[in-house]
Amino acid sequence: MPPNEPEEPGLISGDFMPDGAPEARMEPLDWTLRATGDGRRATGDGRRATGDGRRATGDGRGGSVLFAARSANALYRLLDLLPVFAGDARVSRVFTLVPGSDFGVDALAAVERVGARSVPWDEASRDTYDLIVTASPKGELHLLRGPRVLLPHGAGFGKTFHGEGSADAPSGLDPEYLMPHGGPPPALHALAHPGQIDRLAALSPRAAARAAVVGDPTLERVVASLPLRESFRAALGTGARRLIVLTSTWGRESLLRRRPDLPFELAARLPQDAYQLGLIVHPNEWSRTGEFELSERLAPALDAGMILARPYEDWASVLVAADALITDHGSTALYYAAALDGPVLAAYDGGDELIPGSPMAELLAHAPHLDRAEELEKALESYRVGTGRAAAASAFLLPAADAATAAGVADQESALERLRLELYRLIGLSPPVAPVTTRLLPIPAPPSRTPSAFAVRVRLDGDETHVERFPGHVDAPAHHLAAEYGVAGERHSQSAALLYRRTGRATAAAAYSVEWTVDGWISHVLDSYPGCRTAGVVLSPVHCVARVQGGSLVSVRIEPPRENGRIVHSDPAAVLSAVHARPVGASRVTCVIGGRRYEAYLSPATADEAGRIL
């Protein structure tokens, strides 16, 4: 539709009629009006269609809400909206899958996981609903009956996909999808920033007349969950390491398509005790590829301990835990920039999908570019603080950075509060008395795999022993190989100069069992593995017992550093590598692990330590 199209009044309900049928009732829409205290519409009589075709009269009858999702990604955004209706027994919630997407395979499975009720598309298109909520304008939505509300399923409207819809129109703002078959636009197009209404008005004034700025509920979940950052990092096993998260959108210009080897290149390059690696993959890529195939493709990086965030909620929890982001042109980076304003590195080499001047284009234009994994530290140092937030301010309502623009729009309300007012106005009911509450993100899942063998580089610098550990399956020069007995494969165990084990791995005692003592197990390992020069047992984060071939049993007590009132622990197995590298008989080893100093004090093991049961 041309930018200079005449504005037209729209259907107040967004009732989409079959092709060729006359539009039922015309009434102008005034977005300056809001719901009244008794639930009546400011522009009408407050009545709405119920699921069986009757009209709600505001006398206590409820409303039916249909959540129509075309893909798993769109569904996840709809689930973030659920607190709007929380606690309201008057509202029935039901889901349906809009047919026609290549990425819908995971959507209904996600509905089943949350225990929601779903109806087939044929049934959904026959019934009438008080409200239809979607997060994608695509598909045969005009077949659904009831006022339709459209939410974004990303941030910033930064992409265009050539070959579909209007030429060069941003995906999500394309009039060809907003007003299919020349029908009316959604009854409400909920947007995150005033500038998005301007962009929509340039494409279609008619569609823009139905738009309102409400904010972004997903961003608000991320921001509300920031106090849980330490808990998220603890669950991920991050500790004091820097968590570097890669994010890949979907399609031929995505990071995983353009640079599929980058995750493993980083995993092989980054010392395990200084960095942790994570990956967020767009839900469409999960649907297109499948979890099994995706995990197999990423197996070398996953074996190195990389976190693969699940596509619903987990991704946002990992984002909250991150220390830096490496991104293509997907909008996930805008959420990170808005919420944490941490370093963002660009791993996008250009193409025809990114819209020039969009918030994501601005973010990438000012982000240091990561050409090779070896340049990561240098790129992180060159990032200028505030760059990301400045770009995100044109995609979200950020009062601290965008107060002038947000004035008179935000009114100190949350996106969920503003959405609730709009949605209940459309239904014709008074909102619940209880305030709407943003739901915090869940604790993320830990890495599915962790390395059990390490190629260890050791550098002696005076009285300091610098230790860097890399995954054992990485072909790289090393001082020695260290392997965790009973966890690493036998090939690594046979080749390891240092073998160690940890206590407390058993989950249940067997009726009949044989147990090692610390001294007994260490002697057994040194006798059974000719290549093993040092064997040790990790008893706690600050205590190990070890013996170097030809030496006596020693107790290793670790004194971790303190930073800002916190004690910073590292993997004691890394300290054992430092002990292994030092001459027999040393009483103190100063270890530098992950850039921090750990003092290890060695003394003859006591009888109690030697006889401790494993």
Side-chain angles (χ1 to χ4, degrees):
M1 192 163 293
N4 60 350
E5 61 173 341
E7 293 205 33
E8 302 176 23
L11 297 173
I12 65 165
S13 64
D15 296 325
F16 295 105
M17 304 300 292
D19 292 348
E23 294 185 352
R25 180 163 55 95
M26 304 293 288
E27 188 173 309
L29 189 66
D30 184 354
W31 283 113
T32 64
L33 300 174
R34 291 293 181 259
T36 60
D38 59 2
R40 290 179 291 114
R41 286 281 318 267
T43 57
D45 59 6
R47 294 179 294 164
R48 281 293 169 205
T50 62
D52 59 2
R54 294 174 297 135
R55 309 288 293 180
T57 60
D59 58 1
R61 297 182 207 169
S64 56
V65 179
L66 175 69
F67 293 93
R70 191 169 180 264
S71 66
N73 187 36
L75 173 69
Y76 299 149
R77 295 311 172 104
L78 298 182
L79 294 177
D80 283 345
L81 179 67
L82 288 179
V84 164
F85 301 108
D88 195 341
R90 301 170 300 170
V91 174
S92 64
R93 308 151 187 83
V94 66
F95 291 78
T96 194
L97 177 64
V98 181
S101 173
D102 294 335
F103 309 114
V105 62
D106 291 335
L108 287 183
V111 170
E112 292 178 0
R113 281 196 297 272
V114 299
R117 177 173 168 254
S118 61
V119 296
W121 173 255
D122 289 345
E123 178 181 337
S125 58
R126 287 195 305 266
D127 291 341
T128 302
Y129 296 89
D130 294 293
L131 197 65
I132 299 163
V133 187
T134 71
S136 171
K138 298 179 181 179
E140 299 296 310
L141 296 174
H142 62 283
L143 297 179
L144 298 175
R145 304 181 187 184
R148 179 163 49 93
V149 173
L150 176 62
L151 302 169
H153 63 269
F157 299 102
K159 288 185 185 177
T160 184
F161 298 105
H162 297 280
E164 66 174 53
S166 307
D168 300 323
S171 180
L173 296 180
D174 190 341
E176 186 169 325
Y177 293 111
L178 296 177
M179 297 176 292
H181 305 285
L188 169 63
H189 193 165
L191 296 172
H193 191 274
Q196 294 166 3
I197 292 186
D198 297 337
R199 294 176 67 188
L200 181 57
L203 295 164
S204 171
R206 184 183 178 199
R210 300 292 190 89
V213 176
V214 298
D216 190 296
T218 299
L219 175 62
E220 289 187 352
R221 287 196 76 185
V222 173
V223 172
S225 301
L226 290 179
L228 300 179
R229 176 177 161 85
E230 283 194 19
S231 298
F232 292 171
R233 291 172 66 87
L236 295 170
T238 306
R241 297 182 291 173
R242 297 188 74 177
L243 175 56
I244 309 297
V245 175
L246 298 96
T247 176
S248 177
T249 188
W250 66 279
R252 58 188 176 85
E253 295 182 10
S254 68
L255 185 148
L256 285 183
R257 298 282 191 93
R258 290 274 187 87
R259 304 179 68 176
D261 296 328
L262 183 58
F264 179 65
E265 289 173 4
L266 287 166
R269 170 80 176 100
L270 301 180
Q272 287 279 315
D273 300 301
Y275 293 94
Q276 186 180 34
L277 195 64
L279 174 63
I280 296 172
V281 180
H282 194 284
N284 284 358
E285 198 66 24
W286 280 85
S287 296
R288 185 189 70 84
T289 308
E291 181 175 357
F292 171 80
E293 181 66 19
L294 186 61
S295 297
E296 288 300 304
R297 293 181 183 183
L298 296 168
L302 294 175
D303 290 341
M306 184 182 75
I307 303 158
L308 178 59
R310 302 290 304 177
Y312 175 51
E313 295 184 319
D314 206 48
W315 71 270
S317 299
V318 170
L319 205 67
V320 168
D323 292 296
L325 206 68
I326 301 171
T327 185
D328 53 19
H329 60 310
S331 64
T332 300
L334 288 171
Y335 288 99
Y336 179 73
L340 287 99
D341 195 20
V344 176
L345 306 183
Y348 179 62
D349 299 322
D352 58 9
E353 292 180 356
L354 182 65
I355 296 176
S358 65
M360 195 61 211
E362 290 300 308
L363 177 60
L364 292 175
H366 294 92
H369 195 274
L370 183 67
D371 292 311
R372 298 184 302 160
E374 292 80 3
E375 300 171 353
L376 176 66
E377 290 90 345
K378 182 179 180 181
L380 289 173
E381 291 174 0
S382 65
Y383 176 80
R384 290 187 293 110
V385 176
T387 300
R389 186 174 175 86
S394 60
F396 305 110
L397 290 174
L398 303 178
D402 198 18
T405 303
V409 179
D411 293 332
Q412 304 303 315
E413 295 175 339
S414 70
L416 289 178
E417 289 171 330
R418 291 189 289 272
L419 268 172
R420 183 162 74 166
L421 288 174
E422 295 289 356
L423 300 186
Y424 273 89
R425 181 183 60 76
L426 289 170
I427 296 174
L429 294 175
S430 300
V433 175
V436 62
T437 303
T438 300
R439 293 173 181 170
L440 299 179
L441 295 167
I443 297 294
S448 59
R449 311 170 202 173
T450 53
S452 55
F454 296 94
V456 185
R457 298 176 188 173
V458 177
R459 179 172 59 87
L460 302 180
D461 184 8
D463 65 343
E464 293 182 344
T465 304
H466 294 253
V467 173
E468 288 186 330
R469 301 190 303 166
F470 301 86
H473 59 289
V474 174
D475 185 15
H479 177 271
H480 65 272
L481 181 70
E484 185 173 357
Y485 179 85
V487 180
E490 188 64 12
R491 180 178 67 85
H492 280 138
S493 296
Q494 290 286 351
S495 304
L498 167 64
L499 276 171
Y500 62 92
R501 67 175 294 174
R502 305 179 193 272
T503 58
R505 284 193 172 271
T507 56
Y512 305 94
S513 62
V514 176
E515 298 175 314
W516 285 108
T517 63
V518 168
D519 188 26
W521 178 82
I522 288 177
S523 298
H524 164 72
V525 166
L526 291 174
D527 290 342
S528 302
Y529 290 86
C532 179
R533 181 171 170 266
T534 303
V537 177
V538 176
L539 299 175
S540 78
V542 294
H543 188 199
C544 304
V545 175
R547 180 154 68 89
V548 179
Q549 191 75 262
S552 58
L553 201 67
V554 297
S555 174
V556 182
R557 297 283 181 173
I558 304 167
E559 184 178 303
R562 295 173 180 266
E563 295 179 1
N564 302 319
R566 300 183 301 174
I567 299 174
V568 181
H569 292 286
S570 187
D571 185 355
V575 174
L576 288 178
S577 280
V579 171
H580 167 80
R582 278 294 179 177
V584 176
S587 61
R588 175 177 174 177
V589 178
T590 299
C591 319
V592 179
I593 302 167
R596 294 176 172 85
R597 292 167 56 101
Y598 294 81
E599 299 293 344
Y601 298 92
L602 282 62
S603 60
T606 65
D608 287 343
E609 290 172 328
R612 182 166 172 173
I613 302 298
L614 297 182

